[in-house]
Amino acid sequence: MTVVGVACCGSYDRDAVLTAVEKAVNAAGGLPPVRGKRVLIKPNLLSDLGADSSVTAHPEIVRAVCRMVLDAGGQPIIADSPGAGHLYTPKTLRRIYERSGMAAVAEETGAELSFDTGSAEVPCPNGTVMKRFTVITPAQNADVIISVCKLKTHMFTKFSGAVKNTFGVVPGLDKPVFHSRFVDQQDFSEMLVDLNELIGVDFVIMDAVVGMEGNGPMGGDPKFCGYVLASNSVYGLDYSAQRLIGMDPDQIATTAAARRRGLLDTVEERGDTIVPVQNFVLPATYAGPQRNTRLRRMILTRMQKAGRVYAPAPRVIQERCIGCGQCVRICPKKAIRLTKGKAEFDLARCIRCYCCHEMCQARAIDLKRGVIGELLHTLIR
């Protein structure tokens, strides 16, 4: 049985957050032993957008976690490799730490900010689809790893939470390689589970006070959810978070993969009661609960594998595009180029991984289905 600690939290007021984090952590059984240990605090730092964007873990949540680690005698070290559109350099980290509020957290608590951009290959002999990963040095050197994830939707994996947050231990520009290799989201999700089993996150805390709905993980909209969740299982925490926003966990490939491997069984929520968020907007790639027949499930499976017919395709919103080239750098299939200062897509090469949409801070990339795709989407909802 997996235990998930649940605490209501109505705002990012410092005292309210500290109370909620402590309640959720204690309900989940408490932090792992940290006294005298180097504790990696691995927040979701997808980009350099501020906390109000709901793209990154809120600094008040990270501050509360650092405070608990310090009080327990551990040394917190904040580190992450931001989204694949960013170079993994000390200069990039400095900018992201400042804009995300992590620099202020470190200054106020005494936590260490890591600027170590080293990495090395680590064997993963028990992996299902991956046998080696390149992992950032701070994750390799930590005695304890505590993940601080953000509740968000995700156009490719449908959901972004604890399991997806671990992908941040892969150096920035190495990430598109995985999208190129694992085009099918089922395979990509198996890779994420392999990575989580290799890294072995010791504890995870989710910022679900304000999550992201719609077409996340960057292009969605903030949505008040009002919770902090905690667990020693990344899979169990994601299961509870998916229920919170009205998703069917069996439709989330990472959760389904964890179940198949025997990594997730019964989930018990302790603390406050989870009340599903009303009118939470799910991503356009999510087909809804499997409420119909075997025929519907068969159609859904075939359409998801068909990809180009069913999946939305990226399109440029010309008036918003600033020609920054971030989408060009991140595209694993080199399907984007800049033409007259605007992004231009070669949809014949596009694999619908949505990395471009994920990293576009100008929100200049829309996702739309063709006529046949929209008809199929309507039929299987």
Side-chain angles (χ1 to χ4, degrees):
M1 183 182 66
T2 296
V3 175
V4 176
V6 181
C8 294
C9 189
S11 74
Y12 286 116
D13 171 79
R14 184 164 299 181
D15 291 338
V17 167
L18 182 58
T19 298
V21 169
E22 289 178 342
K23 180 175 182 176
V25 169
N26 291 333
L31 292 177
V34 298
R35 183 169 297 280
K37 296 181 179 180
R38 292 173 59 82
V39 182
L40 171 62
I41 309 295
K42 195 275 174 215
N44 182 327
L45 298 180
L46 177 63
S47 79
D48 57 0
L49 294 176
D52 291 341
S53 67
S54 294
V55 169
T56 57
H58 198 281
E60 288 299 337
I61 303 289
V62 178
R63 180 183 280 105
V65 176
C66 288
R67 186 74 270 156
M68 290 189 71
V69 170
L70 286 163
D71 289 346
Q75 175 55 48
I77 302 152
I78 299 170
D80 190 22
S81 171
H86 297 283
L87 297 174
Y88 186 42
T89 65
K91 181 178 179 181
T92 299
L93 289 176
R94 186 169 290 106
R95 183 182 73 250
I96 289 177
Y97 288 153
E98 287 288 343
R99 295 183 182 178
S100 66
M102 297 303 124
V105 169
E107 183 177 355
E108 294 170 14
T109 64
E112 176 185 335
L113 282 179
S114 176
F115 291 93
D116 184 344
T117 56
S119 62
E121 282 198 355
V122 179
C124 183
N126 297 322
T128 297
V129 297
M130 283 292 295
K131 298 300 182 182
R132 301 185 72 84
F133 284 95
T134 301
V135 177
I136 62 174
T137 303
Q140 295 185 57
N141 291 344
D143 300 312
V144 176
I145 298 177
I146 298 178
S147 172
V148 183
C149 60
K150 185 77 173 179
L151 173 59
K152 297 191 291 184
T153 52
H154 197 286
M155 283 296 292
F156 185 52
T157 59
K158 314 297 191 295
F159 176 82
S160 179
V163 173
K164 185 67 168 60
N165 193 40
T166 307
F167 197 41
V169 303
V170 174
L173 292 180
D174 283 21
K175 294 184 178 76
V177 176
F178 289 92
H179 283 283
S180 180
R181 179 172 177 179
F182 301 108
V183 177
D184 182 86
Q185 64 117 346
Q186 305 285 340
D187 295 334
F188 188 86
S189 296
E190 292 283 358
M191 176 276 295
L192 288 176
V193 175
D194 281 349
L195 177 62
N196 274 273
E197 289 304 288
L198 172 66
I199 298 301
V201 170
D202 296 283
F203 203 81
V204 57
I205 296 151
M206 173 175 275
D207 172 9
V209 180
V210 178
M212 177 175 284
E213 65 177 358
N215 293 336
M218 188 182 296
D221 298 305
K223 175 75 170 184
F224 178 76
C225 299
Y227 288 93
V228 173
L229 306 180
S231 182
N232 62 11
S233 167
V234 292
Y235 312 112
L237 186 138
D238 278 358
Y239 176 92
S240 293
Q242 288 151 16
R243 287 185 55 246
L244 172 63
I245 61 175
M247 283 184 162
D248 176 2
D250 290 334
Q251 276 210 54
I252 308 305
T254 49
T255 303
R259 281 195 183 282
R260 285 194 301 272
R261 299 192 197 188
L263 302 172
L264 178 65
D265 190 5
T266 305
V267 176
E268 179 179 318
E269 290 149 3
R270 298 177 183 172
D272 293 330
T273 300
I274 285 182
V275 178
V277 179
Q278 297 298 306
N279 302 315
F280 194 97
V281 179
L282 300 177
T285 48
Y286 182 81
Q290 294 190 359
R291 57 185 180 275
N292 279 338
T293 62
R294 179 185 299 178
L295 175 61
R296 178 186 175 279
R297 291 194 294 271
M298 181 184 72
I299 293 173
L300 175 60
T301 299
R302 289 182 179 275
M303 288 308 100
Q304 287 179 331
K305 289 185 178 299
R308 293 180 189 277
V309 175
Y310 175 74
R315 302 181 190 278
V316 179
I317 303 173
Q318 293 287 327
E319 59 271 24
R320 290 186 185 176
C321 182
I322 60 175
C324 66
Q326 200 161 8
C327 57
V328 177
R329 290 191 295 273
I330 197 176
C331 181
K333 290 297 184 180
K334 307 302 179 187
I336 313 172
R337 64 180 180 180
L338 289 180
T339 303
K340 296 181 180 180
K342 302 290 183 180
E344 183 176 79
F345 291 88
D346 180 353
L347 294 181
R349 302 182 69 177
C350 174
I351 59 174
R352 276 60 167 178
C353 67
Y354 308 120
C355 288
C356 55
H357 178 268
E358 176 176 333
M359 296 308 301
C360 183
Q361 296 187 17
R363 302 185 76 163
I365 298 175
D366 195 9
L367 298 167
K368 292 186 177 181
R369 288 188 177 87
V371 175
I372 296 176
E374 276 298 331
L375 176 60
L376 290 168
H377 185 64
T378 299
L379 289 174
I380 64 176
R381 290 184 72 170

